[in-house]
Coordinates of all heavy atoms in Angstrom, one line a residue:
L53 N 23.6 33.1 21.9 CA 24.0 34.3 22.6 C 24.3 35.5 21.6 O 24.0 36.6 21.8 CB 25.3 34.1 23.4 CG 25.0 33.5 24.8 CD1 26.3 33.1 25.5 CD2 24.2 34.5 25.7
T54 N 24.9 35.1 20.4 CA 25.2 36.1 19.4 C 23.9 36.7 18.9 O 23.7 37.9 18.7 CB 26.0 35.5 18.3 OG1 27.2 35.0 18.8 CG2 26.3 36.5 17.2
L55 N 22.9 35.8 18.6 CA 21.6 36.2 18.1 C 20.9 37.1 19.1 O 20.4 38.2 18.8 CB 20.8 35.0 17.7 CG 19.5 35.2 17.0 CD1 19.7 35.9 15.7 CD2 18.7 33.9 16.8
L56 N 20.8 36.6 20.3 CA 20.1 37.4 21.4 C 20.8 38.7 21.7 O 20.1 39.7 21.8 CB 20.0 36.5 22.7 CG 19.3 37.2 23.8 CD1 17.9 37.4 23.5 CD2 19.5 36.3 25.1
S57 N 22.1 38.7 21.9 CA 22.8 40.0 22.2 C 22.7 41.0 21.0 O 22.5 42.2 21.2 CB 24.3 39.7 22.6 OG 25.0 39.2 21.5
G58 N 22.8 40.5 19.8 CA 22.6 41.4 18.6 C 21.2 41.9 18.6 O 21.0 43.1 18.2
L59 N 20.2 41.1 18.9 CA 18.8 41.6 18.9 C 18.6 42.7 19.9 O 18.1 43.7 19.7 CB 17.9 40.4 19.1 CG 16.4 40.7 19.0 CD1 16.0 41.2 17.6 CD2 15.6 39.4 19.3
L60 N 19.1 42.4 21.2 CA 19.0 43.4 22.2 C 19.8 44.6 21.9 O 19.3 45.8 22.2 CB 19.4 42.8 23.6 CG 18.6 41.6 24.1 CD1 19.2 41.0 25.4 CD2 17.2 42.2 24.5
L61 N 20.9 44.5 21.4 CA 21.8 45.6 21.0 C 21.1 46.5 20.0 O 21.0 47.7 20.1 CB 23.1 45.2 20.5 CG 24.2 46.2 20.3 CD1 24.5 46.9 21.6 CD2 25.4 45.6 19.7
S62 N 20.5 45.8 19.0 CA 19.9 46.6 17.9 C 18.6 47.3 18.4 O 18.3 48.5 18.0 CB 19.5 45.7 16.7 OG 18.5 44.8 17.1
L63 N 17.9 46.7 19.3 CA 16.7 47.3 19.8 C 16.9 48.4 20.8 O 16.1 49.3 21.0 CB 15.7 46.3 20.4 CG 15.2 45.2 19.4 CD1 14.4 44.1 20.1 CD2 14.3 45.9 18.3
G64 N 18.1 48.4 21.4 CA 18.5 49.3 22.5 C 19.4 50.5 22.0 O 19.8 51.2 22.9
T65 N 19.6 50.6 20.7 CA 20.5 51.6 20.3 C 19.9 52.4 19.1 O 18.8 52.0 18.6 CB 21.9 51.0 19.8 OG1 21.7 50.2 18.6 CG2 22.6 50.3 20.9
K66 N 20.6 53.4 18.6 CA 20.1 54.2 17.5 C 20.0 53.4 16.2 O 19.3 53.8 15.3 CB 20.9 55.4 17.3 CG 22.3 55.1 16.8 CD 23.1 56.4 16.5 CE 24.5 56.0 15.9 NZ 25.2 57.2 15.5
W67 N 20.7 52.3 16.2 CA 20.8 51.5 14.9 C 19.5 50.8 14.6 O 19.1 50.7 13.5 CB 21.9 50.6 14.9 CG 23.2 51.2 15.1 CD1 24.1 51.2 16.1 CD2 23.9 52.1 14.1 NE1 25.2 52.0 15.9 CE2 25.1 52.5 14.7 CE3 23.6 52.5 12.8 CZ2 26.0 53.4 14.0 CZ3 24.4 53.4 12.2 CH2 25.6 53.8 12.8
G68 N 18.8 50.4 15.7 CA 17.5 49.7 15.5 C 17.7 48.4 14.7 O 18.7 48.1 14.2
L69 N 16.6 47.6 14.7 CA 16.7 46.3 14.0 C 16.4 46.5 12.5 O 17.0 45.8 11.7 CB 15.7 45.3 14.6 CG 15.7 43.9 14.0 CD1 17.1 43.3 14.1 CD2 14.7 43.0 14.7
A70 N 15.5 47.3 12.2 CA 15.0 47.5 10.8 C 15.2 48.9 10.2 O 14.6 49.3 9.3 CB 13.6 47.0 10.6
R71 N 16.1 49.7 10.9 CA 16.3 51.0 10.4 C 17.4 51.1 9.3 O 17.4 52.0 8.5 CB 16.7 52.0 11.5 CG 15.5 52.2 12.4 CD 15.9 53.2 13.5 NE 15.0 53.2 14.6 CZ 15.3 53.4 15.9 NH1 16.5 53.7 16.2 NH2 14.3 53.2 16.8
Y72 N 18.4 50.2 9.5 CA 19.5 50.3 8.6 C 19.7 48.9 7.9 O 19.5 47.9 8.5 CB 20.8 50.6 9.3 CG 20.9 52.0 9.8 CD1 20.3 52.4 11.0 CD2 21.4 53.0 9.0 CE1 20.3 53.7 11.4 CE2 21.4 54.3 9.4 CZ 20.9 54.7 10.6 OH 20.9 56.0 11.0
R73 N 20.0 48.9 6.6 CA 20.1 47.7 5.9 C 21.1 46.7 6.4 O 21.0 45.5 6.4 CB 20.3 48.0 4.4 CG 19.0 48.5 3.7 CD 19.3 48.6 2.2 NE 18.1 49.2 1.6 CZ 17.9 50.5 1.3 NH1 18.9 51.3 1.5 NH2 16.8 50.9 0.7
W74 N 22.3 47.3 6.8 CA 23.4 46.4 7.3 C 23.0 45.7 8.6 O 23.4 44.6 8.7 CB 24.7 47.2 7.4 CG 24.7 48.2 8.6 CD1 24.3 49.5 8.5 CD2 25.1 48.0 9.9 NE1 24.4 50.1 9.7 CE2 25.0 49.2 10.6 CE3 25.6 46.9 10.6 CZ2 25.3 49.4 11.9 CZ3 26.0 47.1 11.9 CH2 25.8 48.3 12.6
V75 N 22.2 46.3 9.5 CA 21.8 45.7 10.7 C 20.8 44.6 10.4 O 20.8 43.5 10.9 CB 21.1 46.7 11.7 CG1 20.6 46.0 12.9 CG2 22.2 47.8 12.1
Y76 N 19.8 44.9 9.5 CA 18.8 43.9 9.0 C 19.5 42.7 8.4 O 19.1 41.6 8.7 CB 17.9 44.7 8.1 CG 16.5 44.1 7.9 CD1 15.7 44.0 9.0 CD2 16.1 43.7 6.7 CE1 14.4 43.5 8.8 CE2 14.8 43.2 6.5 CZ 14.0 43.1 7.6 OH 12.7 42.6 7.4
T77 N 20.5 43.0 7.5 CA 21.2 41.9 6.9 C 21.9 41.0 7.9 O 21.9 39.8 7.8 CB 22.2 42.5 5.9 OG1 21.5 43.3 4.9 CG2 23.0 41.4 5.2
K78 N 22.6 41.6 8.9 CA 23.3 40.9 9.9 C 22.3 40.0 10.7 O 22.6 38.8 11.0 CB 24.0 41.8 10.8 CG 25.4 42.3 10.3 CD 26.1 43.1 11.3 CE 26.3 42.3 12.6 NZ 27.1 43.0 13.6
F79 N 21.2 40.5 11.0 CA 20.2 39.8 11.8 C 19.8 38.5 11.0 O 19.8 37.4 11.5 CB 18.9 40.6 12.1 CG 17.8 39.8 12.7 CD1 17.9 39.4 14.0 CD2 16.7 39.5 11.9 CE1 16.9 38.6 14.5 CE2 15.7 38.7 12.5 CZ 15.8 38.3 13.8
W80 N 19.4 38.7 9.7 CA 18.9 37.6 8.9 C 20.0 36.6 8.7 O 19.8 35.3 8.7 CB 18.2 38.0 7.7 CG 16.9 38.6 8.0 CD1 16.5 39.9 7.9 CD2 15.8 37.9 8.4 NE1 15.2 40.0 8.3 CE2 14.7 38.8 8.7 CE3 15.5 36.5 8.7 CZ2 13.5 38.4 9.1 CZ3 14.2 36.2 9.2 CH2 13.2 37.1 9.4
L81 N 21.3 37.0 8.4 CA 22.4 36.1 8.3 C 22.7 35.3 9.5 O 23.0 34.2 9.5 CB 23.6 36.9 7.8 CG 23.7 37.2 6.3 CD1 24.9 38.0 6.0 CD2 23.8 35.9 5.5
T82 N 22.6 36.0 10.7 CA 22.8 35.3 11.9 C 21.8 34.3 12.2 O 22.1 33.1 12.6 CB 22.9 36.3 13.1 OG1 23.9 37.3 12.9 CG2 23.1 35.6 14.4
L83 N 20.5 34.6 11.9 CA 19.4 33.6 12.0 C 19.6 32.5 11.1 O 19.5 31.3 11.5 CB 18.1 34.3 11.8 CG 16.8 33.6 12.1 CD1 16.8 33.2 13.6 CD2 15.6 34.4 11.8
A84 N 20.0 32.7 9.8 CA 20.3 31.7 8.9 C 21.4 30.8 9.2 O 21.3 29.6 9.1 CB 20.5 32.3 7.5
T85 N 22.5 31.4 9.7 CA 23.7 30.5 10.1 C 23.4 29.7 11.4 O 23.9 28.6 11.5 CB 25.0 31.4 10.2 OG1 24.7 32.5 11.1 CG2 25.4 31.9 8.9
T86 N 22.6 30.3 12.3 CA 22.2 29.5 13.5 C 21.4 28.3 13.0 O 21.6 27.2 13.5 CB 21.4 30.4 14.4 OG1 22.3 31.5 14.8 CG2 21.0 29.6 15.7
T87 N 20.4 28.6 12.1 CA 19.6 27.5 11.6 C 20.4 26.4 10.9 O 20.2 25.2 11.1 CB 18.5 28.1 10.7 OG1 17.7 29.0 11.5 CG2 17.6 27.0 10.2
A88 N 21.3 26.9 10.1 CA 22.2 26.0 9.3 C 23.1 25.1 10.2 O 23.4 24.0 10.0 CB 23.1 26.7 8.3
T89 N 23.5 25.7 11.4 CA 24.3 25.0 12.4 C 23.4 23.8 12.9 O 23.9 22.7 13.0 CB 24.7 25.9 13.5 OG1 25.6 26.9 13.0 CG2 25.4 25.1 14.6
V90 N 22.2 24.1 13.2 CA 21.3 23.0 13.8 C 20.9 22.0 12.7 O 21.0 20.8 13.0 CB 20.0 23.7 14.3 CG1 19.0 22.6 14.8 CG2 20.4 24.6 15.5
L91 N 20.6 22.4 11.5 CA 20.0 21.5 10.5 C 21.1 20.9 9.6 O 20.8 19.9 8.9 CB 19.0 22.3 9.7 CG 17.8 22.8 10.4 CD1 16.8 23.5 9.5 CD2 17.1 21.7 11.2
A92 N 22.2 21.5 9.4 CA 23.2 21.0 8.5 C 24.6 20.6 9.1 O 25.0 19.5 8.9 CB 23.4 22.0 7.3
L93 N 25.2 21.6 9.8 CA 26.5 21.3 10.3 C 26.6 20.2 11.3 O 27.4 19.3 11.2 CB 27.1 22.6 10.9 CG 28.6 22.5 11.3 CD1 29.3 23.8 10.8 CD2 28.8 22.4 12.7
R94 N 25.7 20.3 12.3 CA 25.8 19.3 13.4 C 25.4 17.9 12.8 O 26.1 16.9 13.2 CB 24.8 19.7 14.5 CG 25.4 20.8 15.3 CD 24.6 21.2 16.5 NE 24.7 20.2 17.5 CZ 23.7 19.8 18.3 NH1 22.5 20.3 18.2 NH2 23.9 18.9 19.2
P95 N 24.4 17.7 12.0 CA 24.1 16.4 11.5 C 25.2 15.9 10.6 O 25.5 14.7 10.6 CB 22.8 16.6 10.7 CG 22.1 17.8 11.3 CD 23.3 18.6 11.7

Side-chain angles (χ1 to χ4, degrees):
L53 278 172
T54 301
L55 187 61
L56 180 65
S57 64
L59 187 60
L60 292 174
L61 188 63
S62 70
L63 295 174
T65 64
K66 68 176 183 171
W67 300 110
L69 180 60
R71 289 185 200 148
Y72 291 86
R73 287 186 181 98
W74 68 271
V75 177
Y76 203 58
T77 301
K78 279 184 59 177
F79 171 74
W80 286 107
L81 277 174
T82 302
L83 191 60
T85 52
T86 300
T87 303
T89 296
V90 173
L91 299 178
L93 188 136
R94 288 183 72 219

